[in-house]
């Protein structure tokens, strides 16, 4: 049962990731990325990371994906000569496609070879039946307090920087 | 709870990472490149969480994945702001056409 769920969700994630790769329409790619994030969140649940799965859905789907779709819409070409039946098209050159596929496939073969020959021997208890929420909270507030604070500062700096960079953007004044 | 071998997680994560890399190379659109980078960060998180299953006392892998998510969120906001700025300045989102420094 769990094995079937694992293969189903990993298949969902990989198939929608391949759809992003082959799709010419960026909006469709963003929606396929939504399916990929959901599949990855399900893999987190199957690995016993319930808090991470909820954080993944909230941060990626609720925040990052919405931002990406806004970005796609805001960088739309304003020219009228774009064919309206095929908006958001991405031009893909054959050379880039060749090098992209070559790099991806060769890296995948390399990683698969490494994983297949690594022969991991796990010691530790693997049966996590309880929630990881308490452990994460305690660890964040004790041994990982410094990275936690640095992450807070980083988020503040990113917020201020993004607001400053996107400020006063008036593309119509440039033409 | 049936134990799914850790190698299966690693293979899935490797596949997602390579697809993300291929997306980042192939797409000639700045936001398409960002989609690929997000996919690669997610694949790395799967690795961290798969290994963190074997360490239920101090789940270091899950904490690391949490910080990766934080950094990804910060990265995407700043990158989108820069892309909007580039679009406002050059009127294009194709990375090859933003080549003023090469001339």
């Amino acid at each position: 049962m769990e094995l079937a769920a694992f293969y189903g969700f990993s298949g969902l994630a990989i198939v929608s990731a391949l759809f992003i790769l082959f799709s010419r329409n960026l909006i469709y790619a963003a929606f396929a990325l939504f399916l990929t994030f959901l599949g990855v969140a399900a893999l987190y649940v199957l690995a016993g990371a319930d808090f991470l799965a909820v954080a993944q859905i909230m941060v990626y789907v609720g925040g990052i994906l919405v931002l990406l779709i806004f970005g796609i819409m805001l960088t739309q070409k304003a020219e009228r000569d774009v064919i309206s039946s095929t908006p958001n098209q991405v031009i893909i050159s054959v050379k880039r496609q060749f090098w992209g596929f070559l790099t991806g496939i060769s890296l995948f073969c390399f990683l698969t070879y490494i994983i297949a020959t690594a022969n991991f021997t796990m010691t530790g208890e693997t049966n996590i039946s309880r929630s990881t929420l308490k452990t994460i909270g305690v660890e964040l507030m004790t041994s990982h307090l410094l990275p936690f604070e640095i992450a807070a500062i980083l988020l503040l700096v990113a917020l201020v920087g993004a607001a400053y960079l996107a400020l006063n953007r008036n593309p119509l004044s440039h033409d | 709870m049936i134990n799914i071998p850790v190698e299966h997680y690693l293979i899935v994560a490797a596949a997602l990472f390579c697809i993300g890399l291929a997306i980042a190379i192939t797409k000639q659109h700045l936001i398409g490149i960002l989609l690929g980078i997000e996919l690669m960060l997610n694949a790395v998180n799967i690795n961290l969480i798969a290994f963190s299953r074997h360490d239920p006392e101090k789940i270091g892998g899950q904490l690391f994945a949490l910080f990766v998510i934080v950094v990804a969120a910060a990265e995407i906001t700043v990158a989108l702001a820069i892309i909007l700025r580039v679009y406002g300045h050059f009127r294009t989102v194709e990375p090859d056409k933003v080549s003023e420094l090469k001339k």
Side-chain angles (χ1 to χ4, degrees):
Chain A
M1 180 62 204
E2 264 182 38
L3 215 58
F6 175 81
Y7 287 123
F9 282 118
S10 49
L12 172 76
I14 290 177
V15 166
S16 43
L18 282 174
F19 181 80
I20 302 174
L21 180 57
F22 290 112
S23 161
R24 289 292 182 90
N25 191 325
L26 213 57
I27 287 279
Y28 292 167
F31 282 114
L33 193 68
F34 170 74
L35 278 182
T36 312
F37 285 157
L38 283 189
V40 172
L43 291 188
Y44 289 177
V45 171
L46 286 174
D50 46 359
F51 176 71
L52 257 294
V54 176
Q56 157 99 2
I57 290 177
M58 281 176 64
V59 173
Y60 277 100
V61 178
I64 289 179
L65 211 52
V66 173
L67 269 179
L68 280 173
I69 291 175
F70 261 102
I72 293 169
M73 291 192 289
L74 283 175
T75 54
Q76 201 67 263
K77 288 261 196 308
E79 293 116 40
R80 290 293 123 211
D81 56 341
V82 179
I83 310 121
S84 60
S85 60
T86 56
N88 308 310
Q89 288 290 54
V90 184
I91 307 125
I92 291 172
S93 70
V94 182
K95 199 178 111 193
R96 267 172 177 265
Q97 213 162 15
F98 170 72
W99 283 112
F101 288 149
L102 186 70
T103 316
I105 290 171
S106 52
L107 183 64
F108 181 65
C109 292
F110 178 61
L111 287 178
T112 312
Y113 171 72
I114 288 184
I115 291 165
T117 54
N119 197 12
F120 293 109
T121 47
M122 292 300 174
T123 54
E125 179 90 16
T126 59
N127 192 3
I128 309 173
S129 52
R130 61 197 166 79
S131 168
T132 59
L133 194 56
K134 191 181 174 200
T135 320
I136 286 181
V138 169
E139 291 286 319
L140 270 185
M141 278 298 148
T142 53
S143 58
H144 290 71
L145 190 58
L146 182 65
F148 184 70
E149 299 290 340
I150 291 175
I153 302 277
L154 174 74
L155 281 178
L156 177 68
V157 170
L159 183 67
V160 174
Y164 174 73
L165 279 176
L167 201 68
N168 283 334
R169 190 185 60 86
N170 193 0
L172 293 180
S173 67
H174 284 284
D175 39 338
Chain B
M1 193 174 190
I2 308 162
N3 265 330
I4 301 158
V6 75
E7 283 87 0
H8 293 196
Y9 281 101
L10 298 187
I11 294 280
V12 171
L16 281 180
F17 186 88
C18 297
I19 294 170
L21 184 65
I23 290 171
I25 294 175
T26 305
K27 293 265 190 245
Q28 271 182 311
H29 192 290
L30 287 170
I31 293 177
I33 293 173
L34 275 187
L35 295 183
I37 291 174
E38 289 305 308
L39 205 56
M40 286 157 80
L41 287 170
N42 256 286
V44 172
N45 273 352
I46 293 179
N47 272 357
L48 291 171
I49 285 173
F51 279 110
S52 156
R53 268 193 321 168
H54 300 273
D55 181 23
E57 300 303 319
K58 302 178 65 173
I59 35 180
Q62 293 193 21
L63 288 165
F64 206 105
L66 201 58
F67 290 120
V68 170
I69 288 179
V70 170
V71 172
E75 172 241 333
I76 207 79
T77 49
V78 174
L80 269 175
I82 291 173
I83 288 173
L84 289 184
R85 231 2 210 238
V86 166
Y87 180 69
H89 198 263
F90 292 97
R91 312 291 299 155
T92 182
V93 279
E94 284 181 40
D96 290 344
K97 286 191 182 166
V98 187
S99 58
E100 219 168 56
L101 282 179
K102 274 166 76 178
K103 287 167 190 166

